[in-house]
Amino acid sequence: MLKNLKVEVDRTKLKWVGLVPIGIILVIMLFSCFYTVDQTEYAVLITLGKPNPAILEPGLKFKLPFVQSVKKISRETFSLTFGYSETTPEISKRRSNIAEPDDVTVYMNEAKMITGDENIILVDFEVQWRVTDPIKFFYNNEDPVLTLRNVVSAALRGVIGSAKVDEALTDGRAQIMNDVRSLLTRLVDSYDIGIGIVNVNLQDVDLPTEQVSAAFKKVTSAREDKITKVNEATRYKNERVNSAQGQKEALISNAERAKTERIEKAKGDVATFNAIYSEYIKNKEVTKQRLVIETLNKILPKAKIYIMDEGSGTVKYLPIDVIKDTKGGAEQ
């Protein structure tokens, strides 16, 4: 009896021991069925190796264990550096001739390029990109980031190869960036790897040797001095031209004013002459005497007037001015 009871207990224990792993597996499977999609990432649901064409919305999601899986990629903007790196990426093992000045790793094989006038320069380039189609990013290419790097190399070397070294080192860099951006965008679109180009930056362009670099810096400095002198000369020219223009306008204005004054004065003189002439016609002698007296007053304003008596043998005169002065003094 006791022996049979013991056997039953052992069987019950064995049954529970067998159920515990099954329960653990079921719990793990239950938890693996649920997952979350963040707003800052793309998520693609894959069923038996085939991706669902609809991109998953953010939130808590369910999937079938062992049948479905999820691939995620960030929606953020990524940065791909060409010719240098501040932190050594995994792809650096594919590069060679690595130099490390300060905290920046320089990849000489990437940075060295030849210009259209057969000069060697070192170019540091940055591309900012983001994923635009996660399904194409995951399935249209085995390594889309490496493909992007190769496309950047082709676009950059193509544009640099058609530019002159002076343009790459000085004022032609903006045009080079625009050309690389346009060519790179076309190439990436043609590869259809689900990547979009956000921006490109030509970080640095230099020459491989210090002597050549110093010589080009002197050329650049001389060119900047030339531009400064030209700007100063242009400013001086504009100042002198503006000053001369102002003087010219002032002279023209003064001449116009003098012209107007003389015309008006002539008109007044004509009116005065016509008025005098009309009076002269009426009484010629009186007008003639008045004009003579007025003219004398203008010509000899301080002359003394004497009234002479020529009838007798002696010269007699009447001192009008003395009498006038005496009378004026008496009135005061």
Side-chain angles (χ1 to χ4, degrees):
M1 183 73 178
L2 291 175
K3 185 176 181 181
N4 292 334
L5 181 61
K6 186 175 180 180
V7 170
E8 291 293 333
V9 171
D10 291 339
R11 288 178 179 176
T12 303
K13 287 182 179 181
L14 289 174
K15 186 185 294 183
W16 282 105
V17 170
L19 290 176
V20 168
I22 296 174
I24 294 174
I25 292 173
L26 290 175
V27 171
I28 294 174
M29 290 177 61
L30 180 64
F31 278 100
S32 66
C33 290
F34 294 94
Y35 64 96
T36 57
V37 178
D38 193 78
Q39 292 182 348
T40 61
E41 61 187 6
Y42 291 110
V44 178
L45 182 64
I46 303 166
T47 304
L48 298 176
K50 183 178 180 180
N52 191 328
I55 306 302
L56 295 173
E57 297 292 332
L60 182 64
K61 306 293 180 181
F62 175 82
K63 64 180 178 64
L64 298 175
F66 308 111
V67 176
Q68 293 179 320
S69 61
V70 178
K71 280 189 175 183
K72 298 180 181 180
I73 185 68
S74 176
R75 295 175 181 260
E76 69 178 0
T77 299
F78 297 93
S79 177
L80 184 148
T81 58
F82 189 85
Y84 77 101
S85 176
E86 295 180 355
T87 57
T88 305
E90 295 180 359
I91 200 169
S92 64
K93 60 187 178 182
R94 301 187 181 98
R95 307 177 187 178
S96 59
N97 294 339
I98 298 177
E100 296 185 356
D102 300 327
D103 296 332
V104 177
T105 303
V106 178
Y107 304 97
M108 300 299 292
N109 278 1
E110 283 186 354
K112 276 187 178 180
M113 299 184 188
I114 187 167
T115 62
D117 50 359
E118 299 182 353
N119 286 284
I120 296 176
I121 58 175
L122 303 178
V123 179
D124 293 340
F125 198 74
E126 179 190 18
V127 177
Q128 295 176 356
W129 61 277
R130 65 163 58 103
V131 176
T132 57
D133 190 326
I135 296 177
K136 292 180 179 179
F137 183 81
F138 289 134
Y139 291 96
N140 282 16
N141 192 282
E142 182 179 357
D143 191 342
V145 177
L146 179 59
T147 300
L148 176 61
R149 178 173 296 280
N150 293 334
V151 171
V152 171
S153 176
L156 185 58
R157 294 182 187 279
V159 173
I160 292 294
S162 61
K164 294 182 179 180
V165 65
D166 286 348
E167 297 173 351
L169 291 172
T170 55
D171 52 359
R173 297 177 59 174
Q175 184 62 43
I176 290 175
M177 282 195 296
N178 291 334
D179 294 343
V180 172
R181 183 187 293 107
S182 300
L183 180 57
L184 182 59
T185 302
R186 291 199 303 270
L187 290 175
V188 169
D189 291 343
S190 67
Y191 276 89
D192 198 24
I193 55 177
I195 288 178
I197 303 301
V198 177
N199 195 17
V200 298
N201 295 310
L202 192 58
Q203 300 285 41
D204 191 20
V205 179
D206 208 347
L207 293 160
T209 62
E210 293 184 0
Q211 290 181 341
V212 178
S213 178
F216 268 91
K217 286 179 180 178
K218 289 182 179 179
V219 172
T220 303
S221 178
R223 181 173 293 141
E224 291 175 352
D225 291 341
K226 172 188 173 183
I227 294 173
T228 301
K229 295 295 183 183
V230 169
N231 291 336
E232 291 177 353
T234 302
R235 184 173 62 252
Y236 176 76
K237 170 190 171 183
N238 293 335
E239 290 176 355
R240 294 304 299 268
V241 168
N242 292 336
S243 177
Q245 187 68 26
Q247 293 177 3
K248 169 188 171 183
E249 293 176 356
L251 290 173
I252 292 174
S253 177
N254 292 335
E256 292 291 338
R257 185 174 62 253
K259 170 187 173 183
T260 303
E261 291 176 354
R262 291 191 179 186
I263 291 175
E264 295 300 325
K265 185 177 181 302
K267 289 180 179 179
D269 292 342
V270 170
T272 302
F273 178 80
N274 290 335
I276 294 172
Y277 183 72
S278 63
E279 294 297 325
Y280 173 76
I281 295 298
K282 295 177 183 179
N283 196 334
K284 295 183 178 181
E285 290 298 328
V286 173
T287 304
K288 186 186 296 184
Q289 291 179 6
R290 182 172 61 81
L291 291 175
V292 170
I293 293 171
E294 289 178 357
T295 303
L296 288 174
N297 285 333
K298 290 181 181 179
I299 296 174
L300 303 171
K302 297 181 180 181
K304 296 181 179 181
I305 300 174
Y306 298 93
I307 298 176
M308 309 296 295
D309 184 9
E310 298 178 353
S312 61
T314 60
V315 178
K316 297 180 181 179
Y317 70 94
L318 181 64
I320 299 299
D321 54 343
V322 176
I323 296 172
K324 183 179 179 182
D325 293 341
T326 304
K327 185 178 180 181
E331 289 178 356
Q332 292 178 359

